[in-house]
């Protein structure tokens, strides 16, 4: 399934300037999501990080991967929630700078999804070059609200 910006906004709560992908080029509910973010030099973070050497912060690359991966859960027919919280980030690795003027290609897969919790693997590319990879887990908001916080 391909989703354009209007369709993405039906599922995703993030909005510009913090929506970190522009199109879903392929989503398989409960399995995977792929898409991209256009990176014109006018984006807010390029103006700030770093003047004279603009690049996309690693934390925003991870944000893009978490946002698009959530689409693989939000598009599942049995899921009636469009907010996921990040629980854990494992093995985040950064390989090259992400610079303006190109797209950031996002490729994520669902490793497991049980009781509202999902484990994902994500990779980002620019010009077919791996820029980062990460494993992370997220939880649907409806399930997170029912978890009791451990007492000290």
């Amino acid at each position: 399934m391909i989703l354009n910006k209007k369709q993405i906004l039906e599922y995703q709560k993030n909005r510009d300037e913090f929506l970190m992908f522009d199109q879903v080029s392929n989503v398989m509910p409960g399995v995977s999501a792929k898409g991209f973010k256009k990176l014109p030099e006018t984006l807010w973070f390029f103006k700030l990080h770093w003047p004279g050497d603009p690049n996309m912060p690693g934390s925003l690359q991870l944000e893009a991967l978490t946002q698009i991966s959530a689409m693989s859960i939000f598009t599942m027919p049995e899921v009636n929630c469009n907010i996921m919280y990040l629980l854990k980030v494992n093995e985040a690795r950064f390989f090259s700078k992400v610079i303006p003027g190109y797209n950031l290609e996002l490729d994520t897969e669902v490793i497991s999804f049980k009781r509202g919790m999902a484990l994902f693997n994500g990779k980002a590319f620019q010009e077919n070059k791996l820029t980062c990879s990460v494993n992370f887990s997220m939880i649907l908001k409806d399930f997170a609200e029912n978890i009791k916080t451990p007492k000290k």
Side-chain angles (χ1 to χ4, degrees), residues 25-109:
S25 54
N26 186 13
V27 63
M28 296 175 61
V31 177
S32 63
K34 296 180 182 186
F36 64 88
K37 173 71 176 168
K38 295 176 188 170
L39 299 174
E41 62 186 47
T42 55
L43 282 173
W44 63 273
F45 50 83
F46 286 135
K47 297 173 191 172
L48 305 168
H49 192 266
W50 302 102
D53 186 22
N55 62 88
M56 185 178 193
S59 59
L60 294 182
Q61 294 174 55
L62 296 178
E63 180 66 25
L65 288 166
T66 61
Q67 285 184 17
I68 202 162
S69 66
M71 296 298 290
S72 60
I73 302 300
F74 296 156
T75 56
M76 294 173 67
E78 65 272 23
V79 173
N80 294 319
C81 182
N82 61 354
I83 295 175
M84 289 192 90
Y85 298 128
L86 184 63
L87 293 174
K88 189 174 185 180
V89 175
N90 291 325
E91 302 172 28
R93 297 187 61 202
F94 300 92
F95 302 99
S96 65
K97 289 195 313 188
V98 174
I99 58 174
Y102 302 93
N103 289 344
L104 181 66
E105 303 290 334
L106 307 163
D107 186 350
T108 64
E109 66 177 323

Side-chain angles (χ1 to χ4, degrees), residues 3-51:
L3 301 174
N4 63 29
K5 188 78 164 250
K6 183 179 177 185
Q7 294 166 315
I8 289 167
L9 296 176
E10 293 174 17
Y11 292 101
Q12 179 63 251
K13 291 281 267 188
N14 287 297
R15 298 292 186 258
D16 291 331
E17 293 288 312
F18 206 71
L19 183 60
M20 292 291 145
F21 62 99
D22 297 314
Q23 183 178 18
V24 176
S25 54
N26 186 13
V27 63
M28 296 175 61
V31 177
S32 63
K34 296 180 182 186
F36 64 88
K37 173 71 176 168
K38 295 176 188 170
L39 299 174
E41 62 186 47
T42 55
L43 282 173
W44 63 273
F45 50 83
F46 286 135
K47 297 173 191 172
L48 305 168
H49 192 266
W50 302 102

Side-chain angles (χ1 to χ4, degrees), residues 131-145:
T131 63
C132 73
S133 66
V134 65
N135 293 318
F136 55 94
S137 57
M138 297 197 302
I139 187 168
L140 287 167
K141 178 185 181 210
D142 295 349
F143 286 84
E145 292 172 347

